[in-house]
Amino acid sequence: MGILGQGTVGDSGASGVERQRKILVAEDSSITQDLLKLVLSQRGHRVDIVNDGNEALEALVREAYDIALLDFHLPGLDGVQVVRSFLAQSGGGLRPWFVAITADVEGLLAHEENCESFDKVVPKPVDIQEISRVIDEAGHHEQPVQQPSPKKDPATSEAFSQPELAAAPQPRRVRVASALSSKLFGDRTFVRWPDDFDARNLSGRALQAKVQQGNVDALLIEEPATVADLERVWEVAGLHLYPVIDLTGTLGEHADIDCSKLAANETDAVFDLIESFHDKRARIHPDAARSENLDEKILGRMFIADAPLRPTYDGAAPSIVRYNILLDGQSVINHAAKLVEAGFLAPKFFDRVHVCGGCGSSQFNVREECPECRSSDLKDELYLHHFRCAYQGPESDFRHGDDLVCPKCRKELAHFGSDYDKPGTMIVCNSCAHTTSEPMVGFVCLSCGQHTDGDAIRTRDISRYALTDKATGFLEAGNAFLGFTQQTLRFADLPLDLVVALNDQAKRFNEDGTPFALLDISYQNAREIDREYGPRQFFQLRELFLENLRNVLANDVATAGEARVVKGQAFDFAMLKETKPDMIRQQIGLISAKASEPLRLDLGVTVTVFGPEDLS
């Protein structure tokens, strides 16, 4: 994402902004304030900042905002109280699109007051891309003010009730044995189907934030569901990396465990599954965990589940197979083909099936047909051989009442063995009367009705798929394992305070040409060190390298301004103020070598230097 050019951080590019929106930011963190203001301002919006809940309420009453970004734990009135108070004081008209920003999603959902008036929940630390998506989603939402419902006693009413909605009949709940239920639900936190997927509930609108914060143990299926019902699992970032626990027994191989078949004393299997997924999630690289590409999500899911993609027969599916993942069989086959070609999956033959050339289905009626008219209305009939004239034909051609008369020479056939014999049977078509000794084989697609001759039908191999070493390397080490070199800075990788500092430097460069350099630091040998010596060893080496780098930049490199080293999640960074990037590029090899010299293991440090001209 561009940082320089017409503006600075947050330039939305060619897409632009449909219209300017008036946004209120209520946040007591100065870093978050600065970050939100600079990004939203660069997108063309008008942004007002307040520091506490009382100021937020005053601003909302005083001016009409399109969107209000409210921190949940504000000084004075908290975010929920601000919204309730505003709705209570408003006399009708339009209300803002209310967005809760919080590091305590569970606390927000459990708030004693009704908090359903929030339209979205965004977790901390703030993800700029997520904020941008929320602003775009708010779009032209113009909502009439609704009076808040009175505070209810949680002991006598359901949490998060919605008085503005007509009461709907309660969905049927699947019964779970009480012993299993109490043990399973003890101290675990679940994303629940269908409740947490319902956008009418705050828990549904907060689903992304809940998963993003990691406050989840598993996806719990509490009512019968199909793979199509659960498509949103792949849309919620990171949710595919959690185990699927089926209480209904309807998902079959698509779930990781079927609790409907577990006895009350077998629930340790559920806990073992949750812990196994937790341990594997700790090993997956942020590049893979945060990927929005479905192919990479499938790889991540296979890695976390520690299982290959296994096909089983499913007569109800057009592909006639299903796989042990929350995707239909055809989708798995299509995506797996691309991943095999890219070297990420290794196929192993399972079966060969026929495929309709019209719709791709493998559901067929396979039948014997007439070679002339393709009718399947066929019958078997004995055929006779008249010795005298050598005529052969079906018995019905010879039959005249109780007598047999040759249709060729009109002689009566009186004696079997001397006048005629019956050497076999032939196939007779009742539609066109054609006779043949061998019918054709035809395929009629049960999905679209297309007919295909047996000698023209396509086939496809169904395979079992396992991760290759290349896939495992990518999942554990990220894009660096594939030899990718960052040519552009990935905005999402930058810590928030560094984004603010970078924007300040960009402004100075635009105003008076003051140079700066940003170092993007990655570690090519991280995966090997983690595998051979453990993650703690890599963590310690990384910390030591960064400390050495701070000393080298401060004492051994002639930089004109301040040098600041910042640790990120997947990458680390160094901001060099008032420093020409070309000068640093000439010295970067020496800088990296000096900082690495005391380390007992080689981190494989790679440093990319960005200057103002690279970030435009």
Side-chain angles (χ1 to χ4, degrees), residues 21-57:
R21 299 185 187 111
K22 193 173 180 181
I23 301 174
L24 176 67
V25 175
E27 170 63 59
D28 59 339
S29 165
S30 60
I31 290 179
T32 305
Q33 287 178 357
D34 291 344
L35 178 68
L36 291 174
K37 185 163 186 176
L38 72 88
V39 171
L40 297 176
S41 297
Q42 291 301 322
R43 288 173 63 89
H45 304 302
R46 173 184 163 183
V47 182
D48 292 338
I49 303 289
V50 295
N51 298 296
D52 60 41
N54 294 321
E55 292 180 2
L57 180 58

Side-chain angles (χ1 to χ4, degrees), residues 27 107 124 126 142 151 166 210 221 236 239 245 348 510 581:
E27 170 63 59
K124 287 185 176 180
V126 173
E142 293 184 339
K151 181 177 176 180
K210 188 176 182 180
I221 308 301
V236 178
L239 187 53
I245 299 175
K348 183 177 181 181
N510 285 338

